Amino acid sequence: MSALPQPEPDPFDLFAAAAEPVSQPQAEPVRRAAPQVVGRPAPLAPSSSAASHLSPAFPRRAPWGTASNLRAWQAEALELYRATEPRDFLAVATPGAGKTTFALRVATELMERGLVRRVTVVAPTEHLKHQWADAASRVGIRIDPSFKNAQGRHGTHYDGVALTYAQVAANPALHRARTEAARTLVILDEVHHGGDALSWGDAVREAFEDATRRLTLTGTPFRSDTAPIPFVTYEADREGIRRSKADYTYGYGDALRDKVVRPVLFMTYSGDMRWRTKAGDEVAARLGEAMTKDLTQQAWRTALDPEGEWIPSVLAAADKRLTQVRRSVPDAGALVIATDQTAARAYAGHLARITGKSPTVVLSDDDGASARIDEFAQGDARWMVAVRMVSEGVDVPRLAVGVYATSTSTPLFFAQAVGRFVRARTRGETASVFLPSVAPLLDLAAGMELERDHALDRPATAEEQGVALEDAEFAAANREEKASGELLGSFEAMESHAAFDGVLFDGGQFGTGAEVGSDEELDFLGLPGLLEPEQVATLLRQRQAEQLRGRGVAPRELSPEEAEREHRRAAALRKELSKLVSAWARKSGRPHGQVHTELRRRCGGPEVPQATADQLQTRVEMVRTWFVTG
């Protein structure tokens, strides 16, 4: 019997997950209830009778003609939109979940019903303007991504335009006139950028205040400041702090459970750093040990220095990981996110020497850069190096390995950067992101599944500033050291060496620390490229147990409940140890790094991020003894 011909894919299926085996049981979708809003009806079930029996990653597994080509969260959000008919609607969906597909479905329905005649898309970058236009063209909406303010109006053969926030801010009156001239749907992509500058927020409000409908989208509904985001509703919590309120939220944890996004393995690297301060003093410290903010930043910058050994060692390790992934995913690609153009060029040179082939380099947000990104996305080249422009919104689904080689540590930037690697295409793909072992990044990696709202009316917290301070005493120590002025201003990176710390996955830490290039490191770099999350966790536990046995430590198999208690206990002890070491460093006048080194010498065990709860407990007791004995 000959196989039946397959139907053409629905054009709305722009970013749907690739086909899964039909034999696999279909899971019930996990429904994300929208926040209760006074006066609004409850969300309706998806209109298709088949939707309730399909995985959130359908449509490709749905019988043809029985369901629309939307993921379950998109269908649910669309039904809520239909039921409420709002003028403003904020959809928060994790990077890679498919915000574009949802927004374009809303746009086509509003245009078909005659409720709007034009569509205006506002995006953060020039590249995203073209990406939106390409996606819209596949569903029959003609968007002009090359519209310039000097034109005044777009051609009659277009249904609308794509703009950048900067373009709107340059002439808000023009865009207000365009919006008033016809019933317009305004799609504000990554709307948190509307608060990047006071003038931008004011311009967006002025330009689109009279829009017929506004659909705001973001994967990160929080900012590192308290600048209000245009057209976002803020409601006071019990403490009187106004927080952003989304109409529909689909977080990373939801998408991970639904297998809409990839799970992320964070490969962490520490190492010994040495630099010279502005005052001419030489400082040595171990990256990953608890230190004050200034010391952490200087050690971090030393690690990222292209002239040292840390960055080429980590790039080489990431390339080994990419090679392993490509055995299962032949077109898998990798991305280095650099701090600036100088560093990006230097990193590209290292990769050329490591791989024998020059990587794609994207240095600025211009037409040439967009073309290079598109060429990389459609090809099978191994590496791309970029500065900030690839950190947000850019759709390169084949990216599976990343190197976070920037000193930016705000939650917003981190979430958007990691979002470049989590876009799922097929079942079992994982993402691997290589990180410096510094507390701000480790905290952000551990909190990937936490959802945040943008809050006004309060000072920016340490977390929002990208600073992982353990307590008030640690903060005070930072202020004292900063006041000394020793570490402020310029510095000279002198020497850096990398060491493999371990892997962060699903809130747990795996690995016992190892030298770069060792068999212990290769145990983790060589994990298969296609694994289910449960298989990843099992393999990580096995590799760690093997390493412990090799070191003469007999690991005890822990139940999931015991493992969770042990993880929480270790986290609490790390905080307590940081507090005690900070206080002892001030009392004794010794640097934090020296205190931690002395503790390791006396008590044994690896650096703090990898130490077990029992090892941390021993160190805590040791420092307490020092305070008693003087």
Side-chain angles (χ1 to χ4, degrees):
M1 180 175 177
S2 61
L4 293 175
Q6 292 297 311
E8 290 296 318
D10 188 292
F12 287 105
D13 185 20
L14 302 179
F15 306 111
E20 298 175 7
V22 176
S23 60
Q24 182 180 342
Q26 294 179 349
E28 289 292 325
V30 180
R31 296 296 183 195
R32 247 61 57 191
Q36 295 299 312
V37 182
V38 176
R40 290 184 176 178
L44 302 177
S47 55
S48 168
S49 60
S52 62
H53 302 293
L54 295 172
S55 161
F58 82 83
R60 293 190 186 275
R61 286 172 49 202
W64 186 256
T66 63
S68 61
N69 272 2
L70 291 176
R71 290 172 175 164
W73 82 263
Q74 295 164 337
E76 188 176 53
L78 181 62
E79 289 298 337
L80 175 61
Y81 190 90
R82 291 168 177 164
T84 57
E85 293 285 349
R87 186 182 184 193
D88 286 295
F89 190 91
L90 171 59
V92 175
T94 190
K99 295 186 291 296
T100 304
T101 301
F102 165 70
L104 291 175
R105 178 57 67 91
V106 170
T108 54
E109 290 198 3
L110 292 179
M111 293 183 74
E112 288 171 0
R113 294 168 59 193
L115 295 178
V116 301
R117 291 179 53 200
R118 292 180 180 174
V119 177
T120 296
V121 177
V122 187
T125 67
E126 288 287 333
H127 180 79
L128 287 179
K129 286 168 47 178
H130 291 270
Q131 193 166 290
W132 269 97
D134 291 342
S137 69
R138 299 188 188 107
V139 297
I141 300 177
R142 296 161 298 180
I143 298 292
D144 181 4
S146 301
F147 175 83
K148 305 297 182 185
N149 287 354
Q151 294 175 227
R153 56 185 300 177
H154 63 264
T156 56
H157 57 291
Y158 285 110
D159 298 308
V161 300
L163 313 167
T164 63
Y165 286 97
Q167 192 174 349
V168 173
N171 196 341
L174 166 67
H175 299 291
R176 182 186 183 98
R178 291 187 58 263
T179 303
E180 291 173 342
R183 294 187 298 274
T184 302
L185 165 67
V186 178
I187 300 173
L188 297 167
D189 186 27
E190 303 299 353
V191 69
H192 52 270
H193 283 286
D196 280 357
L198 180 60
S199 60
W200 283 25
D202 291 342
V204 169
R205 289 187 184 89
E206 178 183 349
F208 306 121
E209 184 178 8
D210 294 326
T212 304
R213 295 285 182 94
R214 289 180 293 258
L215 178 58
T216 51
L217 310 171
T218 183
T220 48
F222 54 89
R223 292 181 53 81
S224 301
D225 54 32
T226 56
I229 302 170
F231 308 122
V232 169
T233 299
Y234 291 87
E235 294 185 358
D237 61 14
R238 294 179 180 178
E239 299 175 354
I241 295 175
R242 291 175 295 162
R243 297 185 180 276
S244 60
K245 188 173 183 63
D247 295 282
Y248 190 90
T249 298
Y250 186 69
Y252 174 77
D254 299 326
L256 188 61
R257 285 188 292 273
D258 292 347
K259 296 181 172 58
V260 168
V261 296
R262 300 167 179 159
V264 183
L265 294 131
F266 290 102
M267 308 285 187
T268 63
Y269 281 74
S270 62
D272 295 319
M273 307 294 140
R274 190 164 61 91
W275 66 93
R276 181 177 289 112
T277 69
K278 183 180 180 180
D281 297 327
E282 289 189 12
V283 179
R286 179 82 173 179
L287 194 70
E289 292 185 338
M291 294 180 282
T292 61
K293 176 186 173 182
D294 287 327
L295 283 170
T296 297
Q297 288 292 334
Q298 298 289 352
W300 191 349
R301 289 175 61 188
T302 301
L304 299 181
D305 178 40
E307 299 301 319
E309 296 182 18
W310 191 93
I311 194 71
S313 297
V314 172
L315 291 175
D319 190 65
K320 291 177 184 176
R321 177 66 186 147
L322 179 62
T323 296
Q324 180 63 37
V325 172
R326 285 171 72 104
R327 292 179 180 175
S328 304
V329 187
D331 69 337
L335 168 67
V336 181
I337 299 178
T339 298
D340 53 46
Q341 295 189 10
T342 301
R345 292 189 184 95
Y347 298 164
H350 284 307
L351 283 170
R353 287 185 287 274
I354 291 168
T355 66
K357 188 172 182 179
S358 296
T360 298
V361 181
V362 181
L363 297 179
S364 60
D365 186 12
D366 55 24
D367 292 339
S370 293
R372 286 192 292 276
I373 294 172
D374 289 340
E375 182 181 0
F376 182 85
Q378 296 166 14
D380 63 355
R382 292 175 68 91
W383 281 95
M384 177 163 61
V385 182
V387 190
R388 295 181 66 96
M389 69 166 296
V390 183
S391 69
E392 182 170 61
V394 173
D395 183 39
V396 185
R398 69 185 190 88
L399 286 176
V401 175
V403 177
Y404 194 89
T406 172
S407 55
T408 304
S409 57
T410 62
L412 185 150
F413 184 86
F414 184 84
Q416 288 289 354
V418 175
R420 299 315 96 213
F421 307 97
V422 301
R423 296 173 183 267
R425 299 184 301 174
T426 191
R427 192 75 181 265
E429 286 186 339
T430 60
S432 302
V433 178
F434 287 68
L435 298 177
S437 284
V438 291
L441 297 185
L442 298 181
D443 289 345
L444 292 172
M448 271 288 290
E449 296 185 24
L450 297 178
E451 295 175 7
R452 298 176 175 85
D453 292 319
H454 183 219
L456 303 178
D457 309 318
R458 85 287 180 271
T461 64
E463 180 190 32
E464 289 170 334
Q465 296 172 34
V467 181
L469 304 182
E470 301 294 348
D471 47 44
E473 289 191 11
F474 202 11
N478 279 331
R479 287 193 295 271
E480 289 172 13
E481 288 204 10
K482 183 174 290 188
S484 71
E486 263 196 7
L487 295 177
L488 293 178
S490 62
F491 85 112
E492 177 189 357
M494 300 178 64
E495 189 177 9
S496 64
H497 300 277
F500 176 67
D501 262 357
V503 179
L504 300 181
F505 180 75
D506 195 24
Q509 298 183 6
F510 303 89
T512 58
E515 294 298 320
V516 170
S518 64
D519 291 341
E520 289 86 351
E521 181 197 31
L522 293 175
D523 282 345
F524 292 97
L525 296 180
L527 290 170
L530 284 176
L531 287 173
E532 293 294 332
E534 299 79 9
Q535 295 173 320
V536 173
T538 298
L539 270 178
L540 288 172
R541 284 194 293 269
Q542 289 176 352
R543 300 284 165 88
Q544 178 165 276
E546 291 169 0
Q547 290 187 4
L548 289 171
R549 280 194 292 269
R551 298 184 181 192
V553 180
R556 182 175 68 88
E557 189 67 27
L558 299 178
S559 68
E561 294 78 12
E562 289 175 321
E564 176 64 20
R565 286 196 299 270
E566 188 72 1
H567 174 67
R568 293 182 181 278
R569 177 176 169 239
L573 285 167
R574 278 195 297 273
K575 290 184 178 181
E576 184 177 4
L577 182 61
S578 294
K579 175 181 177 181
L580 289 169
V581 167
S582 177
W584 180 254
R586 292 199 307 277
K587 180 177 180 179
S588 65
R590 300 175 64 190
H592 290 71
Q594 287 187 13
V595 177
H596 280 287
T597 299
E598 180 67 13
L599 286 171
R600 284 207 319 279
R601 187 182 68 80
R602 295 195 181 197
C603 305
E607 291 77 16
V608 168
Q610 303 303 322
T612 66
D614 288 341
Q615 290 168 336
L616 292 168
Q617 181 69 57
T618 301
R619 297 180 196 182
V620 165
E621 293 171 356
M622 174 67 71
V623 182
R624 287 175 178 166
T625 302
W626 290 348
F627 276 102
V628 173
T629 61

